[in-house]
Amino acid sequence: MELWFTENLEIAADMRLQLRVQRTIHSEVSEYQKIDVLETAYCGRMLVLDDVIMTTEFDEFAYHEMIAHVPAFAHANPRTALVIGGGDGGTIRELCKHKDLEEIHLCEIDRRVVEVSKEHLPSIAASFDDPRVKCFYEDGARWADEHPETYDLILVDSSDPVGPAAVLFGEAFYESCYASLREGGILATQAENIYMHRDIIERLLQYGEKFYQRRFYYNTRVPTYPGGMIGFTFFAKGQNGPDPFINLEKRYNESELTAQDFRFWNPATHKAAFALPAFATDLEKYFA
Amino acid sequence: MELWFTENLEIAADMRLQLRVQRTIHSEVSEYQKIDVLETAYCGRMLVLDDVIMTTEFDEFAYHEMIAHVPAFAHANPRTALVIGGGDGGTIRELCKHKDLEEIHLCEIDRRVVEVSKEHLPSIAASFDDPRVKCFYEDGARWADEHPETYDLILVDSSDPVGPAAVLFGEAFYESCYASLREGGILATQAENIYMHRDIIERLLQYGEKFYQRRFYYNTRVPTYPGGMIGFTFFAKGQNGPDPFINLEKRYNESELTAQDFRFWNPATHKAAFALPAFATDLEKYFA
């Protein structure tokens, strides 16, 4: 018998990935969503929320490293970081590699995602015991709103703009994050696929233009995400806000991180991530 | 009723793409393979050979532009080009944008792929009438073998190393292509996905090391290919052979091509294409 998981994603409804599955490891319905962990034939263990692939052991590093290290290296001296969503712990794991970070907060609305990940995805949920990490099981939008001038980095490691994460794709949230950043702080948010979700991306860039002084879009390559890639907004606070390119090699060389810390990120992939295909370069009008 | 096409690809057997289909436009079994053209719900028309996606109107440009323009701009002065495979005509279409090219040969083993593409994929098979284009319906490996010192560019726009294209992934073919290139010539070959087919890629790089003086690997992002990306070997003949980066902007600015000619390629995506993820940088030992 062959078992196949077929993704059911509203924003990629006519082009979907199928993964062969060996067994179901965990399945529940939490207060917020369906949570499944499957053992796949090719991609190791996979976390699925509401039938949408969140992360797999096969390629999670390409996402988690790029949402975390691009802003972390772009910021001159980050001390405090907030991850909104990200209950699997992969983004936290990457942030913990930056020894200068003193506080790493996770605000995940669904406590069960963290608990299930700790139990079944230990290589991803690997850093919840780091003493700098604190978890808050609350609404991320409200959290940002209630913590002004608090963070050097805010990373929005969310699911898609359908379901519990919809509010994280709204203008009010981008305004709250601006208020929650300290001067020079960086917001990076999961921002879909440039081929398939240009309307969503353009909307987020428009929010960026409204509130943030530095604005870019970058992407990474994740085979199990729709179209095999996913992008991020990169918005920074302050006229002399961080530039994702200046001093990159210098900061990396002066950090305690080494090539052994990475499976995807390096200075070359960091810089390459900002190259937009010709069909999308008109979006650079939002950049600054 | 919903119709879905499910890809059946031996080198991505446990992770496959499904596309919703509106209708079958053409279906036949040629002397070499099954040939289908489907109208998809999301990706426009799609050419399928032996149940494997060859190209779709949605994202074909990201493949065809990158297999053609990266070597074409890296070469100082290409006059003659050979495309092996590529019966849909997309690579030919891109080469034809380079006005300095005097002869563009297509060597496709299956004449029916060209004929079907001309009939059903006119936006891709758009340049067969260019007077510089000549089509030869022969075995590409033998063609390269029988035409020494002939080409400035050889682009291997092949299917995967299973079926009719298997010979194009063999060492003897890489040796024949070397002989078929003129001094300073460049071979670029379809070379799969760095996440999923590292063994194939490493083997091709080893052939490269055996015969070619300049060697790189680059990639592009094609949502309908396995894992959403595909790479190419870039091998050049001659100790002072072409470098894919030197004088890139200058050559582009001095060419007759403008931003309107491209949907994916630009100097930024050209350079970014060579950035290898950290997990693959050990393959740079084959580079030169």
Side-chain angles (χ1 to χ4, degrees):
Chain A
M1 184 188 75
E2 283 196 0
L3 278 178
W4 287 83
F5 163 82
T6 304
E7 189 170 43
N8 180 10
L9 176 57
E10 199 171 309
I11 60 170
D14 292 327
M15 183 173 142
R16 55 194 199 188
L17 200 65
Q18 278 200 324
L19 293 174
R20 195 157 71 79
V21 167
Q22 286 168 335
R23 67 191 177 100
T24 298
I25 290 172
H26 181 86
S27 190
E28 72 173 71
V29 180
S30 76
E31 187 181 344
Y32 297 97
Q33 55 206 337
K34 281 199 290 179
I35 304 175
D36 294 282
V37 179
L38 305 176
E39 183 80 46
T40 71
Y42 190 75
C43 297
R45 291 188 175 190
M46 171 168 71
L47 175 67
V48 178
L49 299 181
D50 282 343
D51 299 342
V52 175
I53 297 171
M54 287 297 112
T55 199
T56 84
E57 290 176 331
F58 165 63
D59 57 7
E60 54 88 9
F61 61 89
Y63 174 82
H64 293 127
E65 291 184 15
M66 291 300 275
I67 195 174
H69 298 302
V70 170
F73 280 116
H75 193 289
N77 185 26
R79 299 289 173 186
T80 55
L82 169 66
V83 176
I84 292 177
D88 57 52
T91 301
I92 292 293
R93 181 194 63 199
E94 295 307 314
L95 284 176
C96 284
K97 295 176 180 171
H98 291 267
K99 300 301 176 204
D100 290 346
L101 276 170
E102 294 160 3
E103 289 196 63
I104 300 170
H105 293 172
L106 182 83
C107 186
E108 160 66 60
I109 201 165
D110 191 345
R111 176 193 295 266
R112 287 299 298 151
V113 174
V114 173
E115 291 169 348
V116 167
S117 299
K118 280 183 181 175
E119 186 172 352
H120 298 296
L121 298 165
S123 69
I124 302 174
S127 301
F128 282 105
D129 292 337
D130 186 294
R132 298 169 294 167
V133 172
K134 288 196 186 72
C135 295
F136 305 96
Y137 301 106
E138 304 196 19
D139 177 270
R142 194 184 310 153
W143 185 270
D145 211 35
E146 292 173 353
H147 292 82
E149 300 278 337
T150 304
Y151 297 107
D152 296 315
L153 303 175
I154 299 179
L155 311 183
V156 182
D157 180 3
S158 74
S159 48
D160 304 297
V162 184
V167 66
L168 305 181
F169 289 80
E171 182 175 326
F173 175 66
Y174 278 76
E175 189 171 13
S176 298
C177 286
Y178 186 83
S180 187
L181 285 172
R182 295 157 75 177
E183 182 74 10
I186 299 168
L187 170 71
T189 71
Q190 189 276 94
E192 306 298 353
N193 180 314
I194 192 75
Y195 282 79
M196 300 163 71
H197 311 118
R198 196 195 146 91
D199 52 338
I200 297 172
I201 295 164
E202 185 157 14
R203 186 157 51 79
L204 299 182
L205 289 171
Q206 286 165 347
Y207 302 157
E209 196 176 34
K210 208 154 172 179
F211 304 114
Y212 295 81
Q213 285 71 49
R214 303 300 310 262
R215 305 178 297 272
F216 297 96
Y217 181 82
Y218 69 101
N219 76 82
T220 184
R221 294 175 257 153
V222 184
T224 59
Y225 283 163
M229 80 197 79
I230 197 159
F232 307 95
T233 66
F234 176 106
F235 295 153
K237 179 176 185 169
Q239 284 301 346
N240 299 311
D243 179 295
F245 309 111
I246 292 176
N247 292 329
L248 175 63
E249 276 86 356
K250 183 166 175 286
R251 283 185 190 145
Y252 173 44
N253 291 333
E254 289 173 357
S255 75
E256 296 182 46
L257 290 93
T258 68
Q260 277 65 48
D261 286 305
F262 307 108
R263 285 180 280 170
F264 189 91
W265 188 93
N266 56 39
T269 52
H270 177 121
K271 285 180 273 188
F274 289 84
L276 285 180
F279 72 83
T281 50
D282 62 306
L283 292 175
E284 291 173 358
K285 70 185 174 207
Y286 298 108
F287 291 9
Chain B
M1 184 188 75
E2 283 196 359
L3 278 178
W4 288 83
F5 163 82
T6 304
E7 190 170 42
N8 180 11
L9 177 56
E10 198 171 309
I11 60 170
D14 292 326
M15 183 173 143
R16 55 194 199 187
L17 200 65
Q18 278 200 325
L19 293 174
R20 194 157 71 78
V21 167
Q22 287 168 335
R23 67 191 177 101
T24 298
I25 290 172
H26 181 86
S27 191
E28 72 173 70
V29 180
S30 76
E31 187 181 345
Y32 297 97
Q33 55 206 337
K34 281 199 290 181
I35 303 175
D36 294 282
V37 179
L38 305 177
E39 183 80 46
T40 70
Y42 190 75
C43 297
R45 291 189 175 188
M46 171 168 72
L47 175 67
V48 177
L49 299 181
D50 282 343
D51 298 341
V52 175
I53 297 171
M54 287 297 112
T55 199
T56 84
E57 290 176 331
F58 166 62
D59 56 7
E60 54 88 9
F61 61 89
Y63 174 83
H64 293 127
E65 291 184 15
M66 291 300 276
I67 195 174
H69 299 301
V70 170
F73 280 116
H75 193 288
N77 185 26
R79 299 288 172 187
T80 55
L82 169 65
V83 176
I84 292 177
D88 56 52
T91 301
I92 291 294
R93 181 194 63 199
E94 295 307 314
L95 284 176
C96 284
K97 294 176 181 171
H98 291 267
K99 299 301 176 205
D100 290 347
L101 276 170
E102 294 160 3
E103 289 196 63
I104 300 170
H105 293 172
L106 181 83
C107 186
E108 161 66 59
I109 201 164
D110 191 346
R111 175 192 296 265
R112 286 300 299 152
V113 174
V114 173
E115 291 169 347
V116 167
S117 299
K118 280 183 181 176
E119 186 171 353
H120 298 295
L121 299 165
S123 69
I124 302 174
S127 301
F128 283 105
D129 292 337
D130 186 294
R132 298 169 294 166
V133 172
K134 288 197 186 72
C135 295
F136 305 96
Y137 301 106
E138 304 196 20
D139 176 271
R142 193 184 310 152
W143 185 270
D145 210 36
E146 293 173 352
H147 292 81
E149 300 277 337
T150 305
Y151 297 107
D152 296 315
L153 303 175
I154 299 179
L155 310 183
V156 183
D157 180 2
S158 74
S159 48
D160 304 297
V162 183
V167 65
L168 306 181
F169 289 79
E171 182 175 327
F173 175 66
Y174 279 76
E175 189 171 13
S176 298
C177 286
Y178 186 83
S180 187
L181 285 172
R182 295 156 75 177
E183 182 74 9
I186 299 168
L187 169 71
T189 70
Q190 189 275 95
E192 306 298 352
N193 180 313
I194 192 75
Y195 281 79
M196 300 163 70
H197 311 118
R198 196 196 147 90
D199 52 337
I200 297 171
I201 295 164
E202 185 158 13
R203 186 157 51 79
L204 299 182
L205 289 171
Q206 286 165 347
Y207 302 157
E209 197 176 33
K210 208 153 172 179
F211 304 114
Y212 295 81
Q213 285 71 49
R214 302 300 310 262
R215 305 179 296 272
F216 297 95
Y217 181 82
Y218 69 101
N219 75 83
T220 184
R221 294 175 257 152
V222 184
T224 58
Y225 283 163
M229 80 196 79
I230 197 159
F232 306 95
T233 65
F234 176 106
F235 296 153
K237 179 175 184 169
Q239 283 302 346
N240 299 311
D243 179 295
F245 309 111
I246 292 176
N247 292 328
L248 175 63
E249 277 85 357
K250 183 167 176 286
R251 282 184 190 146
Y252 173 44
N253 291 334
E254 290 174 357
S255 76
E256 295 182 47
L257 290 93
T258 68
Q260 277 65 48
D261 286 305
F262 307 109
R263 285 180 280 170
F264 189 91
W265 188 92
N266 56 39
T269 52
H270 177 121
K271 285 180 273 188
F274 289 84
L276 285 181
F279 72 82
T281 50
D282 62 305
L283 292 175
E284 291 173 358
K285 70 185 174 207
Y286 298 108
F287 291 9

